[in-house]
Amino acid sequence: MTIDFTHAHSERAEQIVLGTVMLWPKTWSEAADVIRSPGMFYKRDHQIVAWAVMDRVAKGIDPSNEAITDFLMHVSFQDVIRVLKDHSLIIRAQDSLEYADTALMAIGGMNGCTDLCAVGSKPYMAQAAAAVANHYRQRMMMELLDEAAHSLSKANGRDFTNVIADTVINGSARIVGGVTKTASMGEALEEVVKRLRSGIAVFRSTWGVKSLDDAIQLRSGRFVILAAQPGGGKSSLALQAAMATWRAHGPHTAAICSLEMPSRELSTILAGAEIGVSRQDIENATVPIEKIQQMEDIAQHWRSHGAPSIKESDEKCSVNDFASWVRQLYIRSGGKLRLVVCDYLQILDATNPRHSSYDRICEVTRAVKRLANDLNICVLGLAQMNREGRKAGRDKTGMVTANPEPRMEDLAGSGTLEQDSDGIVFLWPRGSRGVGVEAVTAKIAKNRGGKSGTLVDLDFNKADGQRFTDGRSMGEMTGDLAVRTFKMNREVDPAEDVF
C-alpha cells in the first residue's frame, strides 16, 4: 500500500534550511543539532543539496552557494544517487529529472541553487530545521505503523503479535528519541567541548551512599552489575540507588524491573527505608499509628512526583520484553529516564527458548549493554553468585573464614557478565556491628574508565529500613576478623591478593 505523505513534509521548510545555509554558512550550526542526515529531507533534489552541504562541512569548507554549485558541477549524478542509496536513504521519484550527467544538472542547474537562496531566512532557520526533523519523524512513524499493520494482517497467534509489538515499540523509541546517531570523532569531541563550556557535568545516577559514589559512578551509557549471595542486600542497595536518583534528578528518572518480588513487597522495603521501620514490623502489622500515617503521606508523594516505575514479575520475561518496557518508559519520560534496575539478570529469558544457559546469558548481557548505549542510560543489573563462593576458604594466614573474598568466577552464569559490563560490584558480608547492623564491604571488581580493586566499607542497617550507609572502619570491629581486615579499607591493585 502506498503511503500518502502529502501532509508529512514541508517543501518550504526544506528550502529555507538549505537556502539559509548557502547564504550564511555559519548558520548550519543551528540546524546540525536536529538534521543529522540528508535523508531527513523529503525531496530528492533537497537530499542532494543537503548531502553536498554536509560533505563540505565535514571537510572544513563553508557550504556557500558558490561552493555547493561548484561541488555539484563536478560530481556525477549517478554517483550521488549511489551514495544516498548506500546510506539507505529514501530516494523520492517526484523530481523532474531521473537522469543527468552531473548532480547540478539533476537539481535544475545553477537556478536550482539560486531558487533555494531566494527563500533563505536567518530568523526562521531554527524553526524550519525543527519542522524538517519533525516531518521526517512523522514519515518514519507512518512507515513503521504501515508495515506493522501489514504484518498484523498476516499474524497468526499471540507470539507473532508480541514480536510485532516489540518491533513497533523499539522502532518508535528510535524515531522519537533519536537514539540512532552517526557522528565523526570530531563531532563527538565538539559535543564534549560544548558541554564543558556550558559547565554541564556528565549525568550520573547515585547509589545513595557517598563513599560508593566516589568509588564507582553510575554514569549514563553504562551497564553495571551488583552481585551478592542471597540475602546479601543487593536488592535493598539497588532500590536505594533508584530512589536516591529520583530524589536527586526529579520525576521519571528511575525505574525498577523486579522479576522476584511484587510491587507490594518492593514498596514495603522502600517505605521502611523512608520512615525507619523494619520489613518484619510492616509484615507483622506492628507499625505505630504515626508511622502508618507517614506511609500514607509517602504514597501520595510518590504518586504525584513521578517516583520510580515498577515492572512486576511476569510468568516469563524475555530480554526483549525488558528492553521494550524500558524503551516505552524512555519515550513517556521525554528522555528523562536515566537509571533502570533489573532484579535480576539471570532470570531474564532469551528470545529463543531452546538456547542453552550459556547462550541465554550471552544474549541477555549483550542486549542490556546495547540498550544502555542506545538510550544513554545506566542499567544496574543484579546478579546471583555461585554456591561455590559460599564454601569456606582459607586466607594466606591459614585462618578459615565463612565468607571468602568474592571473585569474578563466583558470578553465576556466563563469562559475558564480566565481558559486557562496565562495572562489577560485589557485596561481601563481614560480620555484625551490633543489633540489626551488618558490616559489608563493597568490592569494586571492575570499573571501566575508573579504578578497580577499591574496597568500600558499608553498614547494612536491617532494623532501620534495610538502608546502606557509609560504614565505619573495619578496625572498629572486634575479634580476629578486625585485625585481618583492617588493611582492606583502602584501594588495592586489582592484581594484588587482598590478604
Side-chain angles (χ1 to χ4, degrees):
M1 184 178 69
T2 302
I3 306 175
D4 183 8
F5 286 130
T6 303
H7 302 292
H9 76 282
S10 170
E11 184 173 354
R12 186 71 169 177
E14 295 183 1
Q15 291 172 337
I16 290 175
V17 170
L18 297 173
T20 302
V21 75
M22 286 194 290
L23 288 174
W24 301 280
K26 300 301 182 186
T27 59
W28 176 246
S29 60
E30 299 180 37
D33 287 339
V34 293
I35 299 179
R36 300 187 178 94
S37 162
M40 297 183 76
F41 291 83
Y42 178 71
K43 289 180 66 68
R44 186 205 64 189
D45 290 358
H46 294 166
Q47 288 186 9
I48 294 174
V49 176
W51 169 77
V53 167
M54 294 181 185
D55 182 87
R56 298 294 83 189
V57 170
K59 289 180 170 61
I61 302 171
D62 281 345
S64 63
N65 183 22
E66 295 77 12
I68 297 302
T69 301
D70 181 69
F71 178 61
L72 293 178
M73 186 186 300
H74 294 90
V75 177
S76 163
F77 171 61
Q78 295 303 320
D79 287 345
V80 175
I81 295 301
R82 193 177 301 112
V83 169
L84 294 178
K85 286 183 177 179
D86 286 345
H87 286 79
S88 301
L89 303 182
I90 300 171
I91 306 300
R92 308 296 178 190
Q94 77 279 9
D95 300 83
S96 54
L97 291 175
E98 293 307 312
Y99 180 81
D101 288 333
T102 67
L104 185 63
M105 289 177 59
I107 65 170
M110 296 182 65
N111 288 337
C113 290
T114 303
D115 290 344
L116 290 174
C117 292
V119 296
S121 173
K122 260 187 177 181
Y124 290 101
M125 177 60 158
Q127 182 178 344
V132 171
N134 289 335
H135 279 116
Y136 167 74
R137 285 191 287 268
Q138 181 181 347
R139 294 193 299 274
M140 294 301 99
M141 188 68 77
M142 290 170 67
E143 290 181 340
L144 176 67
L145 295 177
D146 179 71
E147 182 180 349
H150 179 71
S151 299
L152 279 171
S153 67
K154 299 180 178 180
N156 182 23
R158 178 176 177 273
D159 289 341
F160 189 35
T161 305
N162 284 347
V163 172
I164 296 172
D166 287 344
T167 302
V168 172
I169 291 168
N170 294 337
S172 299
R174 291 190 175 93
I175 293 169
V176 177
V179 296
T180 303
K181 303 176 183 177
T182 302
S184 68
M185 292 292 288
E187 291 171 334
L189 185 57
E190 286 173 355
E191 288 296 317
V192 174
V193 172
K194 185 185 297 184
R195 177 180 60 78
L196 291 174
R197 292 189 183 280
S198 303
I200 302 173
V202 174
F203 191 99
R204 297 183 181 93
S205 300
T206 175
W207 292 95
V209 185
K210 184 181 184 305
S211 57
L212 205 49
D213 284 332
D214 293 339
I216 181 169
Q217 298 173 347
L218 297 175
R219 294 199 301 267
S220 296
R222 301 192 82 189
F223 170 32
V224 178
I225 292 175
L226 176 62
Q229 301 289 1
K234 59 184 181 294
S235 295
S236 297
L237 181 55
L239 294 178
Q240 182 171 325
M243 295 300 288
T245 297
W246 165 62
R247 292 191 194 95
H249 300 293
H252 312 299
T253 53
I256 303 160
C257 176
S258 175
L259 304 178
E260 280 201 305
M261 293 184 284
S263 58
R264 288 187 300 275
E265 190 171 352
L266 286 175
S267 62
T268 296
I269 296 174
L270 294 172
E274 290 273 346
I275 62 177
V277 173
S278 71
R279 182 174 173 182
Q280 288 71 24
D281 285 340
I282 296 177
E283 291 175 348
N284 296 332
T286 57
V287 180
I289 188 66
E290 64 272 12
K291 295 290 186 180
I292 296 176
Q293 181 59 51
Q294 289 181 31
M295 291 179 67
E296 186 175 357
D297 295 339
I298 288 171
Q300 295 176 1
H301 179 74
W302 287 354
R303 184 186 295 272
S304 61
H305 288 77
S309 300
I310 298 175
K311 174 179 172 59
E312 292 195 88
S313 57
D314 298 324
E315 183 178 348
K316 286 187 177 181
C317 181
S318 72
V319 67
N320 278 359
D321 295 332
F322 171 70
S324 297
W325 175 73
V326 173
R327 292 184 188 278
Q328 288 182 60
L329 289 181
Y330 185 86
I331 294 172
R332 292 171 183 169
S333 72
K336 295 178 182 178
L337 184 65
R338 283 296 176 265
L339 175 67
V340 175
V341 172
C342 178
D343 185 7
Y344 59 92
L345 292 170
Q346 287 105 328
I347 297 182
L348 286 173
D349 290 326
T351 53
N352 186 345
R354 297 181 180 178
H355 274 175
S356 66
S357 177
Y358 174 85
D359 291 334
R360 177 175 61 82
I361 296 296
C362 286
E363 180 183 353
V364 167
T365 57
R366 287 165 188 166
V368 171
K369 175 59 180 174
R370 190 163 54 246
L371 180 70
N373 283 334
D374 284 351
L375 300 184
N376 195 31
I377 62 175
C378 179
V379 177
L380 179 58
L382 276 57
Q384 292 281 23
M385 294 170 62
N386 289 319
R387 292 183 181 274
E388 286 76 7
R390 280 179 254 177
K391 293 180 179 178
R394 293 181 181 272
D395 59 29
K396 289 185 177 181
T397 68
M399 298 188 68
V400 176
T401 171
N403 293 302
E405 178 185 357
R407 301 166 298 177
M408 290 289 195
E409 51 265 37
D410 293 332
L411 282 174
S414 163
T416 56
L417 284 171
E418 177 184 349
Q419 296 170 12
D420 294 333
S421 63
D422 297 291
I424 297 178
V425 179
F426 289 108
L427 294 182
W428 183 7
R430 309 312 308 281
S432 175
R433 292 199 191 277
V435 178
V437 181
E438 288 189 7
V440 176
T441 294
K443 177 183 177 181
I444 315 304
K446 180 179 180 180
N447 186 11
R448 185 172 292 155
K451 188 167 185 177
S452 300
T454 306
L455 299 166
V456 182
D457 292 334
L458 303 174
D459 283 348
F460 185 20
N461 302 274
K462 288 189 172 182
D464 187 16
Q466 294 189 272
R467 293 182 300 110
F468 279 85
T469 57
D470 292 318
R472 292 163 284 174
S473 167
M474 288 297 180
E476 297 178 31
M477 297 179 64
T478 60
D480 292 333
L481 180 62
V483 176
R484 293 187 291 106
T485 60
F486 179 76
K487 66 176 182 178
M488 299 183 63
N489 191 30
R490 61 180 178 87
E491 293 186 342
V492 298
D493 186 272
E496 174 189 352
D497 288 329
V498 174
F499 292 102

